């Protein structure tokens, strides 16, 4: 293999991606009541959600160290692409960039090209970007062409989500500039999305999750351009039926090239909470 793709663990990998040997994961971690939980193959979502539900403290996350990224850049591959959580939401992008500089210092003159993509998204947004890199590589594009086409793809990508609650996002400072969104007594659920810069914005709200999801679908359909050339990705936290229903609602209204559904990994579970749905197109 001439290239590899490094994702931080907020980007969920499909079974096919895991089996390909192309993808490598930079592991984030979570802290719940003083216990460190790794976002890797040992992550137990059911146990994690139970712990968070009874914990008096809000869980916190830590990004991979520059050394962890530097280690992942090693190997025989001539081209390495890293895809990270939005730089506006996590230190993962900065760690990946610093890891790249450290690798270059330690391997002066090595013929390896490394590039770090700021997803300006999270979860399956990162997954789709990684798949786009693979697609460009398989077309035989040069390193520079892959970067150009993937950066253009990131510009067009949109992320949407509806969560049962926004507590973790709010308490960890990921909703800066957004007023108090939850009116729990009225069961008001906000419809959220990503800005072009990679921050989180509110797109609307509705009473109850079903109406909020319907509103989210309307936004996806309204924003969608040339969707028949795009892949629809959905990530869910403990609600597979809801995810399938969201997919059906979207595909009833627009055509896409392909679609897939994955379970949230550790970091996405921490922020999405039980019942959360994330959609990227």
């Amino acid at each position: 293999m001439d290239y590899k793709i490094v994702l931080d663990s907020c980007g969920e990998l499909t079974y096919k991606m895991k089996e390909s040997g192309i993808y490598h994961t930079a592991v984030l971690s979570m802290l719940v009541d003083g216990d460190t939980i790794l976002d890797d193959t040992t992550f137990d979502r059911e146990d994690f959600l139970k712990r968070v539900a009874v914990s008096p403290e809000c869980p916190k996350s830590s990004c991979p160290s520059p050394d962890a990224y530097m280690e992942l850049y090693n190997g025989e591959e001539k081209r390495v692409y890293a895809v990270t959580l939005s730089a506006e939401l996590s230190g993962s992008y900065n760690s990946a960039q610093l890891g790249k500089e450290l690798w270059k210092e330690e391997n002066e003159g090595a013929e390896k090209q490394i590039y770090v993509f700021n997803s300006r998204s999270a979860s399956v947004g990162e997954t789709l970007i990684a798949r786009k890199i693979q697609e460009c590589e398989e077309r035989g594009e040069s390193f520079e062409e892959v970067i150009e086409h993937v950066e253009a793809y990131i510009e067009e990508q949109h992320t949407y989500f509806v969560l049962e609650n926004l507590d973790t996002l709010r308490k960890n400072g990921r909703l800066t500039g957004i007023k108090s969104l939850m009116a729990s007594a009225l069961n008001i659920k906000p419809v959220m999305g990503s800005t072009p810069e990679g921050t989180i914005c509110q797109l609307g709200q509705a009473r109850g999750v079903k109406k909020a999801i319907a509103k989210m679908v309307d936004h996806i359909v309204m924003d969608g351009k040339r969707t028949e050339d795009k892949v629809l990705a959905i990530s869910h936290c403990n609600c597979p039926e809801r995810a399938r229903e969201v997919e059906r609602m979207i595909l009833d209204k627009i055509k896409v090239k392909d679609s897939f559904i994955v379970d949230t990994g550790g970091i996405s579970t921490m922020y999405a909470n039980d019942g959360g749905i994330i959609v990227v197109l």
Side-chain angles (χ1 to χ4, degrees):
M1 195 71 68
D2 278 345
Y3 73 99
K4 73 160 85 166
I5 301 168
V6 175
L7 271 86
D8 67 30
S9 58
C10 188
E12 289 90 10
L13 296 176
T14 64
Y15 177 77
K16 195 173 176 183
M17 291 169 85
K18 288 174 186 171
E19 292 293 296
S20 71
I22 295 165
Y23 299 92
H24 303 260
T25 304
V27 177
L28 287 97
S29 62
M30 296 145 290
L31 193 67
V32 182
D33 288 340
D35 290 333
T36 298
I37 299 164
L38 296 178
D39 187 8
D40 60 11
T41 53
T42 65
F43 177 72
D44 182 335
R45 186 169 61 180
E46 196 176 329
D47 178 66
F48 178 81
L49 289 169
K50 280 179 187 168
R51 284 182 182 225
V52 170
V54 299
S55 172
E57 295 176 9
C58 184
K60 296 196 180 311
S61 61
S62 295
C63 66
S65 68
D67 283 345
Y69 274 109
M70 187 170 70
E71 194 68 34
L72 286 163
Y73 297 152
N74 283 326
E76 299 299 313
E77 299 87 359
K78 293 191 171 66
R79 299 178 300 287
V80 181
Y81 306 94
V83 183
T84 75
L85 264 158
S86 170
E88 296 288 335
L89 302 177
S90 167
S92 188
Y93 175 76
N94 285 336
S95 263
Q97 285 283 32
L98 189 50
K100 171 184 161 181
E101 298 310 315
L102 291 170
W103 192 94
K104 285 185 167 179
E105 278 177 27
E106 287 202 3
N107 298 272
E108 207 173 330
E111 290 185 11
K112 189 191 289 275
Q113 294 171 296
I114 303 170
Y115 187 83
V116 182
F117 289 100
N118 172 11
S119 73
R120 290 184 247 164
S121 180
S123 184
V124 280
E126 294 179 56
T127 313
L128 286 177
I129 292 162
R131 278 176 53 134
K132 180 59 75 173
I133 294 167
Q134 182 181 358
E135 187 184 303
C136 292
E137 273 282 347
E138 286 177 357
R139 278 203 300 261
E141 293 182 9
S142 68
F143 186 70
E144 291 74 20
E145 286 171 331
V146 173
I147 292 166
E148 182 188 343
H149 290 148
V150 175
E151 286 289 8
Y153 174 76
I154 292 170
E155 288 285 339
E156 289 189 350
Q157 193 184 70
H158 289 86
T159 302
Y160 311 83
F161 57 98
V162 169
L163 310 182
E164 289 281 5
N165 76 73
L166 295 166
D167 287 355
T168 309
L169 278 172
R170 193 185 71 250
K171 287 175 183 173
N172 280 308
R174 302 307 193 266
L175 296 179
T176 48
I178 295 175
K179 292 171 190 165
S180 182
L181 297 164
M182 296 303 285
S184 52
L186 298 172
N187 196 25
I188 300 295
K189 303 293 181 190
V191 179
M192 310 295 286
S194 61
T195 66
E197 297 75 34
T199 57
I200 295 170
C201 63
Q202 185 178 2
L203 301 171
Q205 63 183 38
R207 183 172 287 188
V209 168
K210 279 191 175 180
K211 287 181 180 174
I213 282 171
K215 197 165 267 196
M216 176 180 72
V217 170
D218 288 343
H219 275 282
I220 292 165
V221 172
M222 187 173 62
D223 294 342
K225 304 222 174 18
R226 302 187 311 281
T227 58
E228 61 279 1
D229 298 326
K230 295 180 179 175
V231 178
L232 169 69
I234 299 171
S235 184
H236 71 89
C237 184
N238 219 23
C239 52
E241 287 176 14
R242 182 177 286 173
R244 284 193 289 272
E245 176 65 8
V246 169
E247 182 183 45
R248 186 195 62 73
M249 289 168 73
I250 295 167
L251 297 183
D252 276 352
K253 297 187 176 185
I254 58 172
K255 286 185 176 171
V256 297
K257 184 167 75 173
D258 190 14
S259 68
F260 66 88
I261 297 170
V262 291
D263 293 340
T264 51
I267 293 295
S268 299
T269 294
M270 176 180 142
Y271 286 109
N273 284 310
D274 211 359
I277 288 278
I278 305 157
V279 182
V280 182
L281 183 63

